[in-house]
Amino acid sequence: QRKVDVAARMLRDHHSLCSHVEAVHCDAILEWPRIVAMAKRATVVFNAIDVGVMWDFCVNSLCKELGLPLVCGQSFAWKFMTEMYTGQVGELCAFCRESTTSVFGASSSAINRKGGILERLQAFIATTHSSCQDSTAEIGVDKLVGFLENDRQFRCGGGDLRAIVASAMVRTTL
């Protein structure tokens, strides 16, 4: 069974509120405008999107912007965890106590460890630009955008990503 169906069934069967619980099957990346429209009609959002931390950040930001409570569920091989945030101004959210370093994995350990961001970036460049001898210090906007669109940790693309990456590289003098 899909995670969203199980979550909806458990909410219907075990909460004491009189609510309409709607399980939504969609591609969060391709159908983000649909998610925003549904959130505008909702009284609470349960995030079961499984496409990485960038989308969790987006859903959290959407709920914070709309003042909606957000419930997040996640599971690992040995445990299941849930979190709930009110969405109210001045209240904590999933990312309030985080920094962009911890949220987006830019710590030294996350970058340099085996299988870390630097190793994955180098492998991406080697795979997609096999004739290119660029070092990671010489990577341009297009290559970095390609990495962000395809890497399992980031999985972001479209919209203003190219402009954001270009602007960030200018600000950091890369």
Side-chain angles (χ1 to χ4, degrees):
Q1 291 184 358
R2 290 180 174 181
K3 180 170 73 169
V4 69
D5 292 324
V6 172
R9 187 182 75 240
M10 296 303 282
L11 283 171
R12 285 185 201 107
D13 293 348
H14 299 287
H15 77 71
S16 60
L17 303 173
C18 295
S19 300
H20 171 73
V21 176
E22 181 180 353
V24 178
H25 297 271
C26 68
D27 183 322
I29 295 171
L30 296 176
E31 299 182 70
W32 181 249
R34 179 179 173 207
I35 293 170
V36 172
M38 288 185 295
K40 287 179 178 177
R41 295 188 311 270
T43 55
V44 65
V45 172
F46 185 92
N47 177 12
I49 297 173
D50 242 347
V51 290
V53 71
M54 296 295 282
W55 291 98
D56 293 337
F57 186 83
C58 291
V59 172
N60 190 89
S61 297
L62 173 65
C63 289
K64 196 73 167 161
E65 180 72 21
L66 297 175
L68 286 174
L70 169 65
V71 180
C72 305
Q74 51 200 319
S75 60
F76 305 116
W78 65 94
K79 66 181 173 180
F80 175 77
M81 299 181 340
T82 58
E83 303 168 21
M84 193 276 189
Y85 305 96
T86 68
Q88 299 302 306
V89 174
E91 295 290 323
L92 290 176
C93 67
F95 295 92
C96 289
R97 297 244 185 233
E98 301 280 346
S99 68
T100 54
T101 298
S102 62
V103 172
F104 298 109
S107 67
S108 179
S109 163
I111 293 169
N112 297 312
R113 73 175 179 254
K114 182 165 176 48
I117 297 170
L118 183 59
E119 186 177 297
R120 294 192 320 266
L121 176 59
Q122 289 168 330
F124 174 80
I125 296 301
T127 302
T128 58
H129 301 88
S130 57
S131 63
C132 185
Q133 297 299 317
D134 289 348
S135 73
T136 51
E138 299 167 337
I139 294 173
V141 172
D142 290 331
K143 291 176 188 172
L144 190 52
V145 166
F147 172 72
L148 291 171
E149 289 174 333
N150 291 285
D151 183 69
R152 69 179 185 272
Q153 178 178 345
F154 299 104
R155 297 182 190 171
C156 58
D160 294 327
L161 181 61
R162 189 177 195 299
I164 292 166
V165 169
S167 175
M169 290 181 81
V170 167
R171 283 195 313 270
T172 58
T173 65
L174 294 176

